[in-house]
Structure formats: structure tokens, C-alpha cells
Amino acid sequence: MKNKIFLAMLASISVFAVGCGSSNTTKELAAPSTEVSKDIPGWTVNNDPTDLSWYVNFSWFTTPWGNDIVSQKITEETGVNVNFIIPAGNEAEKLNTMIASDTLPDLLTLGWWEGQIPEMIDAGMIYALDELAELYDPYFFEVADEARLGWYTSQDGHVYQYPNSSYSPEDYEKYDNIASNQTFLVRKDMYEALGSPDMSTPEGFIDTLRKAKEMFPTVNNQPLIPLGLHEFNDAGNVSLDLFLQNFLAIPFEDEDGNLYDRMTDPEYVAWLKMFREATAEGLLANDVFIDARSQMEEKQAQGRYFAMLYQRTDMATQQQILFNNDPDSIYVAIDGPKNSSGDDHTLPGVGIQGWTVTLISKNCDDPERAIQFMSYFMSEHGQRMIKVGVEGEMYEMVNGQPVLHKEVQELLDSDRAAYDRKYGAEDTFWMMQDLPMQQQWTEASKEPFLQLEEWAAQYTIFNSQYDGLNPALGSAEEVIALKVSTLWGNTLPALLLAKDEAEFDAIFEKYVNDRDALGYDKLLAVQQELLEENKEKLGFK
Amino acid sequence: MSTVSKPAPKASFGERLKKQKYLQMMVWPGIIWMFIFNYIPMSGIIIAFKDYKITGTMWGAPWAGLSHFKEFLTDPSFMNIMQNTLGISLLKLCIAFPLPILFALLVNEVRSARYKKSIQTISYLPHFISWVVLGGLLITWLSDTGMINEVLVMTGILKEPIAFLADPKYFWWVAVISDTWKELGWSAIIYIAAISGIDQQMYEAAAIDGATKMQKIWHITLPAIKGTIAVMFILAVAGMLNSNFDQIFILNNVLNAEASEVIDTYVYKMGMRSGRYSYATAIGLFKSVVAMILLVIANFITKKLQGRSLF
């Protein structure tokens, strides 16, 4: 009896279990519902009301669709109503769950670096955009950018993803106002009170932090935080590894075209030692190690940091608040850590990869409408819509330039969140923003942002070839890469918290040895190959 | 020939089932629930021995043997993780386990029924605050400008404020003390219930024999709830590798990571954040197997010592 029950249980387990898991049946694409031509945008003929679900892999994106004028207008023109799906907590958790349970929505937007993208493509969960476009909306090719399609063409010859905010090397030649996000910022009034000292050498840097702490121990009765950084995470701290190396102009490859080990560069290590000293002196406050982005934003808005190695667009809202309170308390960009020969910073701007990519999943029941919806965004009409909004309701054309209505401009300047919900232009829906195209309607930035932008623009370089050197998911090298980055994530705080320089040296040596033991050379070999591929795609060398 | 009547023939399975049908009706929903939510998901353990990818199925993944287990046991952070997990759990066993018993004994001695009820209610209230909320409070309280530091400095216990969560050497204590405080009243409930079941005549008899209060506790109350204590002890030992995930996850940060990385947070990091599901499952399975062994050992020892056991 017992045995029989057990067998029955086993049998039912396998039935249940086989039922789960993803099915990757190849769907036959239905014939287009209307006649297609490359001259007629699909959305103009095909705009019955329909719903598309759209997953955005960023938990901070909270603007709903359909409340503001712009999204209402887009729904009116294309017939598409969007249901955004936003992760409530950890993004990877949400995305992985959707992939594993085969519940991906119609459209997906995620950072181009995410490892799940090639995995989903390999598993046949994503439509090839070029196939959809050929069948349903040849107009797509009219509005798509050649360089971007070229970069995102997979080895099988298909394009599965289309980027936003993408700049090609040609764009870098065409526009001189492309500005990196990475900035070194100081609070204007304090910095000036200190006599605008030089902070580009380790000695000058730590000395200025000391003096700042001495002169301004508190801000609004709360202790001053001498230096602010991005959040610490499993992989380290982007301010203190990637950004700092960029500021020090440490090269990515040596003269022979081999990848250079930026982590062990003596200039970089020397600066890290200075940061250790700063930590020991309490100049790197506990807050810096503990705070998550939301806490930092609060402190930025109160102006509690003296200096920051931070992305300027990540503190734009807080900068505006400071500016409204007291224009002298804003943050200004100055020259930060430089190498011993005083070379210019090499700060990468957004490259050909752009920022996020958008894909259409095979779970989408109506890929025809999805691809037409994408073309809509990519077209000049769509870009103008998400950038400046609806003519007549939000702006008027004056001498060929859009001029915002007064109340629109006022809300934009004072309360961005409210503006997003009421008007929804200025790239509120950034998922398909084409920044080079939007240049024509973009007014020059105003203070308090102009100075940051102009400062960054002079040091900005094109660096795309070194981005995304990630081994294929599931490969042995991918596990190595993960372990190496976790190792660094554990090492960096230990380095900063080391009691003295001898301990620092010991920890650093252990890091290098452990890294080698993990198989770093294998990872490097794969990355070198990927670099060659990238260069070829971009037509370098 | 004995005249004792033969025992009734054993009823067939069907008959017995029919006879107990109302009892059966009550137990089946529970069994079905357990089967669906506990046993079926267990089949997923299989991926601990495979290289599972989220885009494929669990059954189609290639076999990996014991490689994930080997990897975990040779992981450079393995020792640190085990040390933290066991360290926090042992501290909890030493502090958080006996305190509720003591508390139950104290509450039991309170004369006024109303006063007793209020103490009980107040003491188990923190149990109902989620760790997410409480963790946020604790982070503020324990920071160097927080309430606890202010009190300690004002009363002269500390000269300088200490950022408790920013130093690994305090983390175990923060974890253990905050957990004990939160769960004290709640854990005491089971002992209070056991105590209230003790026959009052024994106390009266002891009083007539001139027993003091302490003697009554030592010779009547404690022996009477010995069984309950044994069972709770076995369960506590079996849960040694379980740390309170919510609590640790919320209280940990880069500065105290050295003392706060435990098996549960490591599994979360590997599985959910890095997407290495097979590896994370293997660690989880390893943990369950160790917990099982601990359970059997604790059970065996209590059985030998006390003649009481779970199974």
C-alpha cells in the first residue's frame, strides 16, 4: 500500500513538474492585416485600440501611462494603450522569474549590459525586429539608424534589440556638446570659502577634505559628509573603481592592443591608498558605506556632502532643489583626481550601445502592432512627441523652434515629478529616446546644470569598444567574471578600512593572487576576443 | 483453551476510512495543501545537481553531478559564512532560548491577573512588527547620532557614540539582542501555556510542606514543563543553520559584511541577484541536510537524557 501511494505521488510530481518550464515553440507569424509599404508608417493605418504590456527593468521608473498629455496623445494616434510592468524590488529577481515562468510581457526595456538579453535571444523568446519589420512595417527601416542596427546585429544576422540614447562615433564628431555623466562635484559656497584649492593630486584632495570638515563641521546641524560616492554593492563601488580610473586617464589597452589591467595600475593604487587614509581619518563617513540611493538623494538635497564623485544626472533633481533654496549652495564640477603627469580626464560619454534596449517578446500576441509602435517612437514625429510634447497644448513653434507655454515651463523647472504626471514630455518616457535626433529641439541647458555639462563635455571621449566585454552567460568565464567582481566587491571596503598601509598592501596582494587563482587569465582572453569583435563592428583599426 | 474472546477482526482499509470519514475530511485539505506547496516544489531540488538555465526547463538541463556542492565547500567565503551562521545561532541558543523560559516563570509568579495579561500583551507586541519596518527603525536607532547612542552617552556609559551597524564586531550582538527582544514574549507563550496546565494541587501540597517560592519553581514548575523545553530545544538545534533572513538582510551593509554574511543571504545573493540558481539550490540543499542531521542528533540525545523526543 505504502509503495503504491509513494509511486502515485512520484507520478503526479513528474506530471506537475513537466507542466512547468518554458515552452519555446516557434510561432508562425500571421499575415499583415493591412498592405504594407516603406513609405507609410504602419501606425497611421493600423490604429484600433489595443493594449500592450511593457516591462521596464528599473524599479525607480514610476510614471504611469495615460495620465499625462503626451501618453494620452500617443494612445490616440497609435491606438496603443500601454500597461507598464515595473519591478517592485530587485530587478534581476523580477526579470528572472518572468523568464523562468515564461510570462514575459509584450515589450521589454532593460539595460543593454544585462546578461539575460543574449540568454532570452538564444532561447528563442524574442522576435527578430528585422523580420517583423519586413513583414509588418518596412517603415521601421526608414526610421532606424544604420549604425545602431549594425552594432546590434547578432551573429545570426538578425536584429533583436534597438537602443535608446545611442551615439555613434560620427555623432561625437558632429556634436561637441556630448557630455559624460561622470563628474567630480563640490559644493560651490564651501569650495569658494576654502579658496578654491586644487584637488587633482592625492595630497590636495585629502587636504581639502580635511579643511572642509574643519571649517564646516555641520550642515543644518547635521554632520557634514566630506565625500560622497555611489552606492557600494556586490561588485564594489563604481565611483571608486571605474570612475576613478577614468578620472586618472588609465588606459583600457596597452600600445599593442592588449587589454590593460586597470586595477593594478600604480597611479590608481596610489589614489586608493589616499582614500584609505581618508577613511581612517573619518573623512569617508559611515554614511557613505551604508546609504542606499534614496538616502543619498535626501542628503544631497540638504547639501550635506562637500564633494562627490557622482553621475551628474543622478542628482539633477536635488541640484534643482538646492538651486531654488540658495543658488550658492549648488554643486559645481571641478577637475578631480588626475594622474601624476596631470593628464586630462578620459570620461566616456554614452556610446553606440546607448543606455537601454527595447525588445519584443514572443509572448506578444500582436507583434504587428508592437513593431509599428516601436517605429512610431523611432520616427521624428514620435521623438518630437516625447521630447517637446503636443503642439498647441504644450508649446508653439516660433521661428522653427518650439517655445513652451509658460505654465509648462514653470512646472518643468520647479517640480519634475508633477510635470511628468501632467505633461509627460522631456523624455518622461525615455525608453526610446533618440538623443542625437532630439538635439534639434533641445535648448541649451540652463544653470544649475549648464556648468556641469560644459565641464564634462571637454573631457568626454567615445569608449564604446571597451563596454560590455561580458562572457556568454553560462560559460565558465562568466562564472569567473562573477567571482572576480564579487572578490573586488569584498576587497574594496576591506582596503578602505585597512588600519595602515601595510595591511592595505597585504589585502591588495591577496586580491591579485585570489583573482589569478580564480582563472583571471581565461576571462581576460575572452574579453580580448570580445574587444576585437567590438572594434571590428565599429570599423576601428 | 482460554475463554477470552477473540479480538474483533481487523477492519479493512476501506471500512476504516469510511468510519473516520469526518476526521478524514478534516485532515485531507491539510495534506493536499502540504503536498502541493511542500512536496511538489521539492522536485526542484534536482537542479542542485544540474546546470540549470532560466530559459530552459529543469528536466532538460545537463547534469552537473556534485560540482556545485564541491564549489561551495571550497568557496573562499565558505568559512566566513559558516562562522557567522553558526556564531549567531549559537548565541541565540544561549540567550534567546533560555530567556523566554525565565520570562514565562516570572510572568507566572505575577499575582494580579490583569497585570499579568498586560505584561504578556506588551511583551509579544514587537513580534507583530515586520522586520522590514523594525529594521528601518533599528538602523536609525543604532546609528552614531541615533537614540541608543544618545542615551548611552548621556548616561555616561559610553564616552563617544558608536555606530553599531558600521563595525563587524558588534553585528552578532545586535542581531541576537534585537531578535531576542522582538521574540521574547511570543516564544514565552508556549511555556506559559505549559505552566498553566500544571496541577495546582502540587503547589498546594508543596506549600503545606513548607516549600519556598524558589523551591516550587525548581521542583514543580520546571520538571513539569521539561517535555516542552526538550521539544523546543530539538527544534532550535535543527534550525541552527537558519538565520533570520529578513533581519540579517535588512541590517547588513558593506561595513559589517564580514560578520553578517550568512548562508541565507549568500543563497539570496547567488540565486536571486546573480541568477546562479543551481549553485544556490545546492547550498540550500546542503543546509537542509545538515539541519536534518542536527535534528536527529539532538533528538537522540534528548531521548537518552530525558526519555522524551520528537520522534
Side-chain angles (χ1 to χ4, degrees):
Chain A
M1 192 81 233
K2 246 187 184 167
N3 261 333
K4 264 191 206 159
I5 293 177
F6 181 68
L7 281 180
M9 271 165 84
L10 259 191
S12 51
I13 287 176
S14 25
V15 169
F16 268 98
V18 170
C20 326
S22 30
S23 56
N24 300 319
T25 43
T26 34
K27 271 193 217 161
E28 277 294 310
L29 289 172
S33 56
T34 49
E35 213 170 302
V36 300
S37 129
K38 70 179 175 57
D39 304 320
I40 304 163
W43 61 269
T44 54
V45 276
N46 209 352
N47 52 14
D48 304 328
T50 187
D51 280 343
L52 287 177
S53 52
W54 192 340
Y55 175 69
V56 182
N57 195 38
F58 294 89
S59 54
W60 48 259
F61 177 72
T62 51
T63 314
W65 183 271
N67 283 5
D68 54 277
I69 295 178
V70 166
S71 62
Q72 281 166 359
K73 186 75 180 173
I74 295 176
T75 299
E76 186 192 316
E77 288 185 350
T78 62
V80 176
N81 181 39
V82 174
N83 299 317
F84 279 124
I85 300 170
I86 313 294
N90 185 282
E91 284 94 356
E93 201 179 317
K94 171 81 180 165
L95 180 61
N96 289 340
T97 313
M98 286 198 302
I99 296 173
S101 57
D102 199 18
T103 51
L104 288 173
D106 302 327
L107 294 163
L108 307 164
T109 292
L110 53 165
W112 63 261
W113 57 86
E114 301 287 358
Q116 288 92 345
I117 298 172
E119 208 172 355
M120 289 189 292
I121 294 173
D122 282 348
M125 301 173 117
I126 302 297
Y127 277 119
L129 296 180
D130 53 321
E131 281 180 350
L132 290 182
E134 215 137 293
L135 187 60
Y136 299 126
D137 197 19
Y139 175 69
F140 175 89
F141 297 109
E142 296 292 302
V143 290
D145 182 278
E146 281 298 321
R148 290 172 211 163
L149 289 182
W151 177 263
Y152 279 109
T153 300
S154 290
Q155 278 173 346
D156 64 2
H158 289 300
V159 179
Y160 294 92
Q161 45 195 329
Y162 195 79
N164 73 354
S165 332
S166 162
Y167 286 93
S168 62
E170 291 77 53
D171 288 329
Y172 272 71
E173 277 158 34
K174 206 153 94 194
Y175 307 107
D176 56 3
N177 59 350
I178 299 174
S180 171
N181 230 337
Q182 302 168 14
T183 42
F184 180 63
L185 308 161
V186 288
R187 223 182 101 157
K188 188 165 179 265
D189 45 1
M190 294 183 183
Y191 184 66
E192 280 165 6
L194 288 168
S196 306
D198 174 44
M199 292 186 78
S200 66
T201 62
E203 299 76 30
F205 196 92
I206 194 165
D207 207 46
T208 312
L209 293 188
R210 276 186 204 125
K211 283 188 182 138
K213 196 182 174 192
E214 207 174 299
M215 198 161 163
F216 306 96
T218 57
V219 180
N220 304 329
N221 294 325
Q222 304 255 41
L224 173 89
I225 304 168
L227 180 69
L229 304 168
H230 275 279
E231 216 175 318
F232 277 84
N233 58 27
D234 300 346
N237 183 312
V238 71
S239 296
L240 283 189
D241 35 63
L242 188 65
F243 292 4
L244 181 57
Q245 289 159 0
N246 293 337
F247 271 88
L248 299 175
I250 296 170
F252 279 91
E253 58 181 308
D254 59 19
E255 297 83 22
D256 310 325
N258 294 320
L259 278 170
Y260 178 72
D261 186 5
R262 300 181 95 201
M263 286 294 183
T264 55
D265 185 275
E267 302 267 0
Y268 174 58
V269 177
W271 271 86
L272 275 188
K273 284 185 175 166
M274 186 282 293
F275 280 109
R276 183 206 68 77
E277 212 181 319
T279 313
E281 287 182 33
L283 297 171
L284 244 67
N286 286 329
D287 314 52
V288 176
F289 293 92
I290 295 172
D291 288 349
R293 182 158 164 189
S294 49
Q295 279 113 30
M296 288 181 214
E297 284 177 357
E298 196 184 319
K299 291 174 181 171
Q300 283 157 358
Q302 299 163 345
R304 285 199 41 208
Y305 298 98
F306 165 66
M308 284 191 280
L309 256 170
Y310 210 77
Q311 301 198 64
R312 59 185 169 85
T313 48
D314 279 6
M315 46 81 73
T317 315
Q318 297 84 281
Q319 175 88 331
Q320 184 71 56
I321 295 173
L322 290 170
F323 187 72
N324 293 350
N325 290 346
D326 173 9
D328 270 337
S329 70
I330 59 166
Y331 288 95
V332 289
I334 61 164
D335 283 5
K338 284 187 174 171
N339 59 28
S340 51
S341 30
D343 292 334
D344 274 357
H345 307 311
T346 51
L347 309 178
V350 182
I352 189 74
Q353 290 94 343
W355 167 30
T356 65
V357 291
T358 298
L359 313 93
I360 302 177
S361 97
K362 285 209 174 146
N363 284 356
C364 177
D365 291 329
D366 201 349
E368 178 172 7
R369 297 298 292 276
I371 188 77
Q372 288 166 353
F373 194 52
M374 271 181 86
S375 311
Y376 172 86
F377 276 106
M378 287 153 64
S379 69
E380 194 163 323
H381 174 81
Q383 286 300 319
R384 184 198 289 255
M385 182 67 73
I386 59 172
K387 177 67 186 170
V388 279
V390 183
E391 189 169 357
E393 283 185 62
M394 290 164 62
Y395 71 95
E396 307 295 337
M397 290 304 278
V398 179
N399 304 328
Q401 274 299 314
V403 175
L404 294 187
H405 288 179
K406 197 163 158 271
E407 69 277 9
V408 180
Q409 184 72 51
E410 265 167 19
L411 192 60
L412 177 62
D413 289 343
S414 58
D415 188 347
R416 180 66 209 240
Y419 170 88
D420 284 350
R421 278 177 161 68
K422 187 162 182 199
Y423 297 108
E426 281 297 326
D427 294 323
T428 296
F429 302 102
W430 42 263
M431 286 73 82
M432 296 295 286
Q433 68 186 9
D434 183 341
L435 296 182
M437 185 191 280
Q438 290 181 356
Q439 289 257 356
Q440 52 183 309
W441 310 296
T442 308
E443 265 185 86
S445 292
K446 285 181 292 202
E447 291 302 352
F449 306 109
L450 181 63
Q451 191 271 340
L452 309 184
E453 234 175 87
E454 283 179 341
W455 178 88
Q458 57 182 330
Y459 296 120
T460 301
I461 56 160
F462 182 86
N463 232 355
S464 281
Q465 63 272 35
Y466 306 112
D467 278 334
L469 303 180
N470 304 324
L473 235 87
S475 65
E477 288 80 12
E478 191 249 341
V479 177
I480 297 176
L482 180 70
K483 286 184 174 171
V484 167
S485 78
T486 313
L487 176 68
W488 177 246
N490 293 335
T491 305
L492 180 63
L495 287 172
L496 297 174
L497 297 168
K499 276 182 219 71
D500 46 38
E501 222 165 288
E503 195 186 335
F504 179 100
D505 289 335
I507 296 171
F508 196 81
E509 200 189 318
K510 186 170 178 312
Y511 162 72
V512 176
N513 292 339
D514 285 354
R515 193 182 64 166
D516 290 345
L518 286 171
Y520 183 60
D521 51 338
K522 282 185 216 142
L523 172 64
L524 213 58
V526 171
Q527 289 182 326
Q528 187 72 41
E529 266 171 48
L530 290 166
L531 172 62
E532 306 299 330
E533 265 172 44
N534 279 356
K535 283 186 180 169
E536 206 178 300
K537 270 189 188 168
L538 288 167
F540 288 1
K541 91 170 168 186
Chain B
M1 270 272 149
S2 84
T3 53
V4 177
S5 61
K6 266 201 316 189
K10 213 178 167 200
S12 74
F13 182 72
E15 269 172 49
R16 275 188 295 154
L17 207 62
K18 210 172 160 193
K19 221 164 127 191
Q20 309 172 332
K21 67 176 177 235
Y22 293 110
L23 291 175
Q24 292 285 347
M25 269 160 64
M26 281 192 268
V27 75
W28 273 101
I31 291 180
I32 291 171
W33 179 87
M34 199 169 75
F35 183 70
I36 293 177
F37 290 103
N38 290 349
Y39 283 87
I40 293 177
M42 232 188 259
S43 59
I45 288 174
I46 195 172
I47 66 171
F49 306 95
K50 289 185 157 203
D51 278 325
Y52 168 68
K53 271 192 182 179
I54 47 172
T55 48
T57 62
M58 289 198 293
W59 309 96
W63 290 97
L66 295 174
S67 62
H68 298 303
F69 294 90
K70 250 182 236 159
E71 191 185 334
F72 177 56
L73 295 177
T74 53
D75 194 304
S77 43
F78 173 75
M79 283 313 290
N80 181 253
I81 294 170
M82 288 307 278
Q83 201 183 342
N84 291 331
T85 312
L86 291 175
I88 293 176
S89 292
L90 274 175
L91 276 181
K92 278 190 186 166
L93 201 63
C94 295
I95 297 172
F97 181 71
L99 272 184
I101 304 175
L102 205 65
F103 183 69
L105 293 175
L106 288 176
V107 168
N108 188 48
E109 298 301 325
V110 172
R111 291 269 168 75
S112 147
R114 184 183 280 183
Y115 186 47
K116 191 165 151 182
K117 279 262 156 62
S118 359
I119 291 186
Q120 247 186 293
T121 313
I122 292 169
S123 68
Y124 67 62
L125 270 183
H127 169 81
F128 294 101
I129 310 175
S130 126
W131 263 114
V132 179
V133 178
L134 195 63
L137 287 176
L138 276 181
I139 291 172
T140 324
W141 287 354
L142 291 168
S143 77
D144 40 12
T145 52
M147 182 186 85
I148 292 179
N149 267 309
E150 264 177 38
V151 171
L152 290 178
V153 170
M154 240 191 297
T155 51
I157 298 173
L158 286 181
K159 280 207 193 74
E160 296 238 318
I162 298 173
F164 291 101
L165 285 175
D167 194 330
K169 70 179 175 229
Y170 302 112
F171 187 82
W172 289 9
W173 292 104
V174 169
V176 171
I177 294 172
S178 60
D179 189 64
T180 310
W181 165 68
K182 184 172 184 293
E183 301 299 332
L184 179 73
W186 185 255
S187 322
I189 290 181
I190 194 160
Y191 299 111
I192 293 174
I195 290 171
S196 67
I198 300 173
D199 191 348
Q200 289 302 311
Q201 289 183 23
M202 289 201 276
Y203 290 105
E204 285 158 20
I208 291 170
D209 290 343
T212 63
K213 203 163 234 178
M214 285 312 289
Q215 280 170 327
K216 276 195 245 172
I217 291 176
W218 188 252
H219 293 290
I220 301 175
T221 316
L222 273 178
I225 62 168
K226 179 169 85 169
T228 314
I229 297 179
V231 170
M232 296 307 284
F233 180 75
I234 295 171
L235 291 177
V237 170
M240 283 277 283
L241 292 194
N242 274 334
S243 3
N244 188 339
F245 174 78
D246 303 12
Q247 180 199 17
I248 307 239
F249 181 69
I250 285 166
L251 294 182
N252 82 354
N253 59 48
V254 179
L255 288 176
N256 63 30
E258 198 186 310
S260 63
E261 183 87 290
V262 293
I263 296 184
D264 289 343
T265 53
Y266 190 68
V267 167
Y268 173 77
K269 248 192 201 173
M270 284 296 133
M272 289 306 181
R273 290 229 287 259
S274 306
R276 298 188 63 200
Y277 293 97
S278 285
Y279 185 49
T281 309
I283 303 172
L285 183 59
F286 165 82
K287 195 183 100 173
S288 306
V289 171
V290 176
M292 184 77 196
I293 295 171
L294 285 174
L295 178 72
V296 172
I297 294 176
N299 194 51
F300 176 77
I301 293 176
T302 12
K303 202 172 184 173
K304 281 274 162 227
L305 290 178
Q306 286 214 310
R308 294 259 198 174
S309 65
L310 263 185
F311 47 83

